[in-house]
Short mmCIF file of all heavy atoms in Angstrom, two decimals:
data_model
loop_
_atom_site.label_atom_id
_atom_site.label_comp_id
_atom_site.label_asym_id
_atom_site.label_seq_id
_atom_site.Cartn_x
_atom_site.Cartn_y
_atom_site.Cartn_z
N VAL A 1 0.84 -1.20 0.00
CA VAL A 1 0.00 0.00 0.00
C VAL A 1 0.88 1.25 0.00
O VAL A 1 1.73 1.43 0.87
CB VAL A 1 -0.95 0.01 1.22
CG1 VAL A 1 -1.60 1.37 1.39
CG2 VAL A 1 -2.01 -1.07 1.07
N TRP A 2 0.64 2.14 -0.97
CA TRP A 2 1.37 3.40 -1.04
C TRP A 2 0.42 4.61 -1.03
O TRP A 2 0.87 5.76 -0.96
CB TRP A 2 2.24 3.46 -2.30
CG TRP A 2 1.51 3.19 -3.58
CD1 TRP A 2 1.35 2.00 -4.20
CD2 TRP A 2 0.83 4.15 -4.40
NE1 TRP A 2 0.60 2.13 -5.35
CE2 TRP A 2 0.28 3.45 -5.50
CE3 TRP A 2 0.64 5.52 -4.33
CZ2 TRP A 2 -0.45 4.08 -6.51
CZ3 TRP A 2 -0.09 6.16 -5.32
CH2 TRP A 2 -0.62 5.44 -6.40
N ASP A 3 -0.89 4.35 -1.09
CA ASP A 3 -1.89 5.41 -1.04
C ASP A 3 -2.79 5.11 0.16
O ASP A 3 -3.52 4.12 0.16
CB ASP A 3 -2.70 5.44 -2.34
CG ASP A 3 -3.58 6.67 -2.45
OD1 ASP A 3 -4.04 7.17 -1.42
OD2 ASP A 3 -3.83 7.13 -3.59
N LEU A 4 -2.76 5.99 1.19
CA LEU A 4 -3.42 5.68 2.46
C LEU A 4 -4.35 6.82 2.86
O LEU A 4 -3.95 7.99 2.86
CB LEU A 4 -2.37 5.45 3.55
CG LEU A 4 -2.87 5.11 4.95
CD1 LEU A 4 -3.65 3.79 4.94
CD2 LEU A 4 -1.70 5.01 5.92
N GLY A 5 -5.60 6.47 3.24
CA GLY A 5 -6.56 7.46 3.72
C GLY A 5 -6.86 7.28 5.19
O GLY A 5 -7.35 6.23 5.60
N LEU A 6 -6.56 8.32 5.99
CA LEU A 6 -6.81 8.30 7.43
C LEU A 6 -7.51 9.59 7.84
O LEU A 6 -7.21 10.19 8.88
CB LEU A 6 -5.50 8.15 8.21
CG LEU A 6 -4.69 6.87 8.01
CD1 LEU A 6 -3.40 6.93 8.79
CD2 LEU A 6 -5.49 5.64 8.41
N ALA A 7 -8.46 10.06 7.06
CA ALA A 7 -9.15 11.31 7.35
C ALA A 7 -10.19 11.11 8.45
O ALA A 7 -10.75 10.03 8.62
CB ALA A 7 -9.82 11.84 6.09
N GLN A 8 -10.44 12.18 9.18
CA GLN A 8 -11.52 12.25 10.18
C GLN A 8 -11.50 11.05 11.14
O GLN A 8 -12.48 10.34 11.29
CB GLN A 8 -12.89 12.36 9.49
CG GLN A 8 -13.96 12.94 10.38
CD GLN A 8 -15.21 13.33 9.61
OE1 GLN A 8 -15.18 13.51 8.40
NE2 GLN A 8 -16.31 13.48 10.30
N MET A 9 -10.37 10.86 11.79
CA MET A 9 -10.22 9.76 12.74
C MET A 9 -9.79 10.24 14.12
O MET A 9 -9.29 9.47 14.93
CB MET A 9 -9.22 8.74 12.19
CG MET A 9 -9.67 8.09 10.90
SD MET A 9 -8.56 6.78 10.33
CE MET A 9 -8.83 5.54 11.58
N GLN A 10 -9.96 11.54 14.38
CA GLN A 10 -9.63 12.14 15.67
C GLN A 10 -8.16 11.97 16.04
O GLN A 10 -7.80 11.91 17.22
CB GLN A 10 -10.53 11.55 16.78
CG GLN A 10 -12.01 11.79 16.54
CD GLN A 10 -12.89 11.23 17.63
OE1 GLN A 10 -12.41 10.64 18.59
NE2 GLN A 10 -14.19 11.40 17.50
N ILE A 11 -7.30 11.91 15.04
CA ILE A 11 -5.86 11.81 15.28
C ILE A 11 -5.35 13.16 15.75
O ILE A 11 -5.52 14.17 15.06
CB ILE A 11 -5.12 11.35 14.01
CG1 ILE A 11 -5.59 9.95 13.60
CG2 ILE A 11 -3.62 11.37 14.22
CD1 ILE A 11 -5.05 9.49 12.26
N GLY A 12 -4.71 13.18 16.93
CA GLY A 12 -4.19 14.42 17.47
C GLY A 12 -2.71 14.61 17.27
O GLY A 12 -2.24 15.72 17.07
N SER A 13 -1.97 13.53 17.32
CA SER A 13 -0.52 13.60 17.14
C SER A 13 -0.04 12.32 16.49
O SER A 13 -0.70 11.28 16.57
CB SER A 13 0.19 13.82 18.48
OG SER A 13 -0.08 12.73 19.36
N LEU A 14 1.11 12.41 15.86
CA LEU A 14 1.68 11.27 15.15
C LEU A 14 3.08 11.01 15.68
O LEU A 14 3.91 11.93 15.72
CB LEU A 14 1.74 11.55 13.64
CG LEU A 14 0.40 11.67 12.92
CD1 LEU A 14 0.61 12.26 11.54
CD2 LEU A 14 -0.29 10.32 12.82
N PRO A 15 3.37 9.78 16.06
CA PRO A 15 4.74 9.47 16.48
C PRO A 15 5.68 9.44 15.29
O PRO A 15 5.27 9.23 14.14
CB PRO A 15 4.60 8.07 17.11
CG PRO A 15 3.38 7.48 16.48
CD PRO A 15 2.46 8.62 16.19
N ALA A 16 6.94 9.67 15.55
CA ALA A 16 7.94 9.62 14.48
C ALA A 16 8.01 8.22 13.88
O ALA A 16 7.86 7.22 14.59
CB ALA A 16 9.30 10.04 15.02
N SER A 17 8.19 8.17 12.57
CA SER A 17 8.38 6.90 11.84
C SER A 17 7.17 5.96 11.96
O SER A 17 7.32 4.75 11.88
CB SER A 17 9.65 6.18 12.32
OG SER A 17 10.78 7.01 12.22
N PHE A 18 5.98 6.54 12.13
CA PHE A 18 4.79 5.70 12.22
C PHE A 18 4.43 5.10 10.86
O PHE A 18 4.04 3.94 10.76
CB PHE A 18 3.61 6.52 12.74
CG PHE A 18 2.31 5.77 12.78
CD1 PHE A 18 2.04 4.87 13.81
CD2 PHE A 18 1.35 5.93 11.78
CE1 PHE A 18 0.85 4.16 13.84
CE2 PHE A 18 0.16 5.23 11.81
CZ PHE A 18 -0.09 4.34 12.85
N PHE A 19 4.58 5.88 9.79
CA PHE A 19 4.20 5.42 8.46
C PHE A 19 5.36 4.71 7.77
O PHE A 19 6.50 5.17 7.86
CB PHE A 19 3.74 6.60 7.60
CG PHE A 19 2.54 7.30 8.14
CD1 PHE A 19 2.66 8.55 8.74
CD2 PHE A 19 1.29 6.73 8.08
CE1 PHE A 19 1.56 9.21 9.25
CE2 PHE A 19 0.17 7.37 8.58
CZ PHE A 19 0.31 8.61 9.18
N PRO A 20 5.08 3.62 7.07
CA PRO A 20 6.13 2.95 6.29
C PRO A 20 6.70 3.88 5.23
O PRO A 20 5.99 4.75 4.70
CB PRO A 20 5.40 1.75 5.67
CG PRO A 20 4.18 1.55 6.50
CD PRO A 20 3.79 2.91 7.00
N GLU A 21 7.92 3.70 4.89
CA GLU A 21 8.60 4.56 3.92
C GLU A 21 7.99 4.47 2.52
O GLU A 21 8.18 5.37 1.72
CB GLU A 21 10.09 4.21 3.85
CG GLU A 21 10.88 4.68 5.06
CD GLU A 21 10.85 6.19 5.21
OE1 GLU A 21 10.85 6.89 4.17
OE2 GLU A 21 10.81 6.68 6.34
N ARG A 22 7.23 3.43 2.23
CA ARG A 22 6.67 3.26 0.89
C ARG A 22 5.49 4.20 0.62
O ARG A 22 5.08 4.39 -0.54
CB ARG A 22 6.20 1.82 0.70
CG ARG A 22 5.06 1.44 1.62
CD ARG A 22 4.56 0.03 1.40
NE ARG A 22 3.46 -0.29 2.29
CZ ARG A 22 3.59 -0.77 3.52
NH1 ARG A 22 4.80 -0.97 4.01
NH2 ARG A 22 2.52 -1.03 4.27
N ILE A 23 4.89 4.80 1.66
CA ILE A 23 3.71 5.64 1.50
C ILE A 23 4.07 6.89 0.69
O ILE A 23 4.98 7.64 1.06
CB ILE A 23 3.13 6.05 2.86
CG1 ILE A 23 2.72 4.81 3.66
CG2 ILE A 23 1.92 6.97 2.67
CD1 ILE A 23 1.60 4.00 3.04
N ARG A 24 3.33 7.12 -0.40
CA ARG A 24 3.56 8.29 -1.25
C ARG A 24 2.39 9.26 -1.25
O ARG A 24 2.57 10.43 -1.57
CB ARG A 24 3.87 7.84 -2.69
CG ARG A 24 5.09 6.95 -2.81
CD ARG A 24 5.66 6.95 -4.22
NE ARG A 24 4.72 6.50 -5.22
CZ ARG A 24 4.54 5.23 -5.56
NH1 ARG A 24 5.25 4.27 -4.97
NH2 ARG A 24 3.67 4.89 -6.50
N ARG A 25 1.20 8.79 -0.95
CA ARG A 25 0.02 9.65 -0.89
C ARG A 25 -0.68 9.41 0.45
O ARG A 25 -0.99 8.27 0.80
CB ARG A 25 -0.95 9.35 -2.05
CG ARG A 25 -0.33 9.57 -3.43
CD ARG A 25 -1.23 9.03 -4.53
NE ARG A 25 -2.47 9.78 -4.63
CZ ARG A 25 -2.66 10.84 -5.40
NH1 ARG A 25 -1.65 11.26 -6.17
NH2 ARG A 25 -3.80 11.47 -5.43
N LEU A 26 -0.93 10.50 1.19
CA LEU A 26 -1.44 10.37 2.55
C LEU A 26 -2.51 11.43 2.81
O LEU A 26 -2.27 12.63 2.65
CB LEU A 26 -0.29 10.53 3.56
CG LEU A 26 -0.63 10.40 5.04
CD1 LEU A 26 -1.22 9.03 5.34
CD2 LEU A 26 0.64 10.63 5.88
N ASN A 27 -3.69 10.97 3.20
CA ASN A 27 -4.80 11.87 3.51
C ASN A 27 -5.04 11.87 5.02
O ASN A 27 -5.49 10.88 5.60
CB ASN A 27 -6.07 11.41 2.78
CG ASN A 27 -7.25 12.35 3.02
OD1 ASN A 27 -7.13 13.35 3.72
ND2 ASN A 27 -8.39 12.04 2.44
N LEU A 28 -4.72 12.99 5.65
CA LEU A 28 -4.92 13.17 7.09
C LEU A 28 -5.88 14.33 7.37
O LEU A 28 -5.85 14.94 8.43
CB LEU A 28 -3.58 13.44 7.78
CG LEU A 28 -2.61 12.26 7.86
CD1 LEU A 28 -1.24 12.73 8.32
CD2 LEU A 28 -3.13 11.17 8.78
N SER A 29 -6.74 14.64 6.44
CA SER A 29 -7.65 15.77 6.58
C SER A 29 -8.69 15.52 7.67
O SER A 29 -8.96 14.38 8.05
CB SER A 29 -8.34 16.06 5.25
OG SER A 29 -9.15 14.96 4.85
N ARG A 30 -9.24 16.63 8.20
CA ARG A 30 -10.33 16.60 9.19
C ARG A 30 -9.97 15.80 10.44
O ARG A 30 -10.79 15.07 10.98
CB ARG A 30 -11.62 16.07 8.55
CG ARG A 30 -12.10 16.92 7.38
CD ARG A 30 -13.46 16.50 6.88
NE ARG A 30 -13.47 15.13 6.39
CZ ARG A 30 -13.01 14.74 5.21
NH1 ARG A 30 -12.48 15.63 4.38
NH2 ARG A 30 -13.07 13.49 4.83
N ASN A 31 -8.73 15.95 10.89
CA ASN A 31 -8.30 15.37 12.15
C ASN A 31 -8.06 16.49 13.16
O ASN A 31 -8.53 17.62 12.96
CB ASN A 31 -7.06 14.50 11.94
CG ASN A 31 -7.40 13.11 11.45
OD1 ASN A 31 -8.02 12.32 12.15
ND2 ASN A 31 -7.02 12.80 10.21
N ASN A 32 -7.34 16.20 14.25
CA ASN A 32 -7.09 17.19 15.29
C ASN A 32 -5.60 17.50 15.43
O ASN A 32 -5.12 17.82 16.52
CB ASN A 32 -7.63 16.68 16.64
CG ASN A 32 -9.12 16.44 16.59
OD1 ASN A 32 -9.87 17.16 15.94
ND2 ASN A 32 -9.58 15.40 17.29
N ILE A 33 -4.87 17.40 14.33
CA ILE A 33 -3.42 17.59 14.36
C ILE A 33 -3.09 19.07 14.59
O ILE A 33 -3.58 19.94 13.87
CB ILE A 33 -2.79 17.09 13.05
CG1 ILE A 33 -3.07 15.59 12.88
CG2 ILE A 33 -1.30 17.37 13.01
CD1 ILE A 33 -2.67 15.02 11.55
N THR A 34 -2.27 19.34 15.59
CA THR A 34 -1.89 20.70 15.94
C THR A 34 -0.45 21.03 15.59
O THR A 34 -0.08 22.21 15.58
CB THR A 34 -2.09 20.95 17.45
OG1 THR A 34 -1.28 20.02 18.18
CG2 THR A 34 -3.55 20.76 17.84
N ARG A 35 0.34 20.01 15.30
CA ARG A 35 1.78 20.24 15.09
C ARG A 35 2.32 19.18 14.16
O ARG A 35 1.96 18.00 14.26
CB ARG A 35 2.48 20.18 16.43
CG ARG A 35 3.98 20.36 16.42
CD ARG A 35 4.45 20.51 17.86
NE ARG A 35 5.89 20.46 17.99
CZ ARG A 35 6.59 19.37 18.31
NH1 ARG A 35 5.94 18.23 18.53
NH2 ARG A 35 7.90 19.40 18.41
N ILE A 36 3.17 19.57 13.23
CA ILE A 36 3.80 18.60 12.34
C ILE A 36 5.31 18.80 12.34
O ILE A 36 5.80 19.93 12.44
CB ILE A 36 3.25 18.68 10.91
CG1 ILE A 36 3.56 20.03 10.27
CG2 ILE A 36 1.77 18.38 10.87
CD1 ILE A 36 3.25 20.06 8.78
N LEU A 37 6.00 17.68 12.22
CA LEU A 37 7.45 17.68 12.10
C LEU A 37 7.83 16.77 10.93
O LEU A 37 7.13 15.79 10.65
CB LEU A 37 8.09 17.17 13.39
CG LEU A 37 7.88 18.03 14.64
CD1 LEU A 37 8.41 17.31 15.87
CD2 LEU A 37 8.57 19.38 14.48
#
């Protein structure tokens, strides 16, 4: 899987290296993310 949809899942924060390196398209819309690194 290289195209992943995780929209509107109440995600507030993401740990480092959570996603596999193969992911090229990522939908994180409509979540609760306040900070990105």
Side-chain angles (χ1 to χ4, degrees):
V1 168
W2 53 268
D3 190 329
L4 181 62
L6 298 177
Q8 202 167 340
M9 297 185 69
Q10 300 181 359
I11 298 173
S13 61
L14 294 167
S17 305
F18 176 79
F19 298 106
E21 287 298 325
R22 65 178 181 273
I23 300 295
R24 300 202 300 273
R25 300 170 66 91
L26 181 60
N27 182 1
L28 290 169
S29 63
R30 300 188 299 282
N31 278 294
N32 300 324
I33 299 172
T34 59
R35 178 170 170 264
I36 63 170
L37 295 172

